[in-house]
């Protein structure tokens, strides 16, 4: 065993986006991405879906799942959309 001192710096795995598109849509330009809205205290308040991938929220898997659950329960026409988690580089 090496006697190398390592500092355990816990990094948050924040590299995911939430992507949404209409189920019957084939045009890749119609894809939108989640922009998370948070209150002053950092508490999750909701989501806007925007066309700009660069301005979309980068999040953890847990945060991305929260976005998907919110979209499914708050959007009246949620059944018309395919919502999925993708890695930032995709």
């Amino acid at each position: 065993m090496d006697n190398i001192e390592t500092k355990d710096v816990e990094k948050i795995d924040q590299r995911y986006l939430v992507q949404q598109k209409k189920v019957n849509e084939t045009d890749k330009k119609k894809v939108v991405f989640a922009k998370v809205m948070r209150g002053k205290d950092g508490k999750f308040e909701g989501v806007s879906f925007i066309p700009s991938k660069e301005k979309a929220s980068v999040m953890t898997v847990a945060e991305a799942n929260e976005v998907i659950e919110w979209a499914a329960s708050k959007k009246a026409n949620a059944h018309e959309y395919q919502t999925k988690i993708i890695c930032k580089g995709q």
Side-chain angles (χ1 to χ4, degrees), residues 14-17 19 33 53 58 86-90:
Q14 206 170 20
R15 60 183 167 141
Y16 300 96
L17 302 172
Q19 173 184 296
F33 301 91
K53 188 175 188 177
V58 179
I86 62 169
C87 281
K88 187 178 177 183
Q90 285 183 318

Side-chain angles (χ1 to χ4, degrees), residues 1-26:
M1 294 286 247
D2 292 334
N3 286 334
I4 299 173
E5 186 178 325
T6 59
K7 292 183 180 179
D8 287 332
V9 178
E10 194 171 317
K11 288 193 172 193
I12 298 172
D13 187 12
Q14 206 170 20
R15 60 183 167 141
Y16 300 96
L17 302 172
V18 174
Q19 173 184 296
Q20 189 177 70
K21 69 176 186 174
K22 279 209 170 202
V23 173
N24 297 327
E25 189 64 54
T26 56

